[in-house]
Amino acid sequence: MNIYFYPPSDERNDYVKRMIGYLSEFCEVTCVESAVDAAKKSFKNGRPDFVVINWPENSSVNSSGSISLFSLFGLVIKLLLFRLAAKNLIYFKHNFYPHRIRSKSRFIGEFAVRVAEIVSNKVVVHNPCVANRRSYYYVPHPLYLLNGESPDFEINFDDYYVIFGRVERYKNIVEIIKAWPNDKNLIVAGSGDKAYSEEIFLEMRDKKNIVFINKFIDNSFASSLIKKSSGVIIANREDSCLVSGTFFFSISCGKRVFCLRSEFYDWVRSEMGENVVVSDDLVGIVGNLDSDVCNDDCEGVREGLFGDVAVKNSLRCLLE
């Protein structure tokens, strides 16, 4: 069985490397740089059984956070090239609309994602609650492979909570800082939206118990940061992304996650117990930091839900 995979492996994207690794165990996987590259390889070598694509809609968003009709047309052409390049096109849907899009352009962002669904033969999601409501295929989001501790890791706090990952407005970091109590320490780590990063620095300027590490955080630094923390805070709502990569990285580190209520987090909490603390609003997240620590070892449950066997079995069923 032959598969073209897009986008190609990136040292900064562990998810892509993991998925390519899983598929390579029972398929011949070729990474493609673009839809044109997929079409060229298909013309030269013959059509593969599948093309697997992730985030094709992201390239349609311009620097001002909108999608023009020209960009939307370009997306359609790209998707059709992917579709023609293989016998079957599989679209891994990660978001309801691209993260970087402005709120007033959200409708066209949702339309772009819908176009990708229509062109594809199969649509895959990592959220079983969404899959159950639509004719999607469910594949568990893989856990992360954690490397050794970062040699650059040095934090002065003995006890702290973490917000980490790309710095984006939808993650409500400023709102968490506004509600953050003086008797607890918070570390925000990551890079991204420069304007929003400046807002974070401005909001925390008088708070000695908050640190902002505004740079790209690799996996070894992130795992060191999280493993020594009291838990990870995820303050974005489930209105743009189906699941959060931050969540899966956090549980891979074996740490509690404090998050806003959603159908997905309610489901995970029913499986993993108090290792996942769900709140109705941002104030509730901060208020629940003092909730009783869960001492249950959920490694077996975590592996059963999202481990290697679960992911590979789902991928095999998908490709049948």
Side-chain angles (χ1 to χ4, degrees):
M1 189 181 301
N2 298 313
I3 289 178
Y4 287 175
F5 191 97
Y6 173 84
S9 183
D10 182 342
E11 288 303 316
R12 290 193 172 192
N13 194 327
D14 192 60
Y15 169 85
V16 169
K17 290 189 290 184
R18 295 281 280 150
M19 295 304 291
I20 291 173
Y22 287 130
L23 291 168
S24 297
E25 292 191 21
F26 44 89
C27 302
E28 184 177 334
V29 180
T30 301
C31 291
V32 292
E33 298 286 342
S34 64
V36 172
D37 185 35
K40 287 180 177 179
K41 284 182 169 61
S42 178
F43 180 77
K44 180 180 179 181
N45 304 316
R47 298 170 78 200
D49 298 293
F50 299 94
V51 170
V52 175
I53 59 173
N54 300 264
W55 309 289
E57 66 278 2
N58 284 0
S59 61
S60 301
V61 183
N62 60 31
S63 58
S64 63
S66 61
I67 298 177
S68 67
L69 290 177
F70 180 78
S71 295
L72 190 61
F73 179 73
L75 173 64
V76 172
I77 296 301
K78 178 166 70 173
L79 290 168
L80 289 175
L81 280 175
F82 274 130
R83 177 67 183 85
L84 293 171
K87 298 172 185 176
N88 294 279
L89 177 61
I90 300 178
Y91 170 47
F92 273 67
K93 177 179 177 179
H94 298 277
N95 304 306
F96 294 108
Y97 54 88
H99 285 325
R100 295 187 295 111
I101 205 163
R102 293 183 299 178
S103 57
K104 69 178 184 179
S105 300
R106 174 173 168 174
F107 172 77
I108 194 169
E110 292 173 340
F111 180 73
V113 171
R114 183 60 184 147
V115 168
E117 294 183 42
I118 292 171
V119 174
S120 303
N121 299 97
K122 296 180 179 181
V123 180
V124 180
V125 294
H126 293 311
N127 185 325
C129 306
V130 173
N132 290 338
R133 295 197 304 267
R134 302 288 298 271
S135 56
Y136 296 146
Y137 291 82
Y138 171 65
V139 172
H141 190 295
L143 298 172
Y144 286 81
L145 294 175
L146 304 177
N147 301 319
E149 289 194 4
S150 169
D152 299 325
F153 181 77
E154 184 177 349
I155 297 297
N156 294 326
F157 295 147
D158 292 327
D159 181 39
Y160 59 88
Y161 296 85
V162 175
I163 297 175
F164 85 102
R166 278 194 60 82
V167 175
E168 302 287 355
R169 193 172 298 277
Y170 75 91
K171 294 187 177 182
N172 295 315
I173 301 171
V174 167
E175 287 71 19
I176 286 291
I177 291 174
K178 288 179 178 178
W180 196 257
N182 293 325
D183 62 343
K184 295 193 183 330
N185 300 315
L186 173 66
I187 296 176
V188 180
S191 62
D193 187 322
K194 292 182 179 179
Y196 193 55
S197 296
E198 291 176 3
E199 291 181 36
I200 293 172
F201 277 120
L202 185 63
E203 187 61 40
M204 57 169 280
R205 66 188 184 280
D206 297 324
K207 298 182 182 251
K208 303 298 184 184
N209 58 328
I210 300 177
V211 171
F212 183 18
I213 306 173
N214 187 209
K215 65 178 183 178
F216 171 72
I217 304 297
D218 63 24
N219 283 1
S220 61
F221 188 96
S223 62
S224 298
L225 183 68
I226 292 169
K227 286 178 180 179
K228 295 181 180 179
S229 75
S230 297
V232 176
I233 295 170
I234 302 176
N236 49 289
R237 296 190 180 278
E238 199 183 56
D239 61 347
S240 63
C241 60
L242 279 81
V243 294
S244 167
T246 299
F247 171 78
F248 290 98
F249 195 95
S250 302
I251 65 171
S252 298
C253 293
K255 280 298 176 179
R256 298 180 89 191
V257 178
F258 299 83
C259 50
L260 287 173
R261 184 175 304 282
S262 71
E263 191 176 7
F264 174 75
Y265 288 131
D266 282 338
W267 169 71
V268 175
R269 185 181 182 281
S270 71
E271 300 287 340
M272 297 180 61
E274 291 298 329
N275 292 285
V276 179
V277 182
V278 179
S279 304
D280 291 317
D281 51 37
L282 298 176
V283 174
I285 286 182
V286 175
N288 279 330
L289 297 176
D290 290 323
S291 59
D292 292 337
V293 176
C294 178
N295 294 316
D296 294 341
D297 183 1
C298 65
E299 182 177 357
V301 175
R302 182 184 68 208
E303 288 293 325
L305 293 173
F306 311 115
D308 291 347
V309 173
V311 176
K312 285 187 282 191
N313 286 343
S314 296
L315 288 173
R316 284 192 178 95
C317 290
L318 172 69
L319 300 176
E320 287 180 350

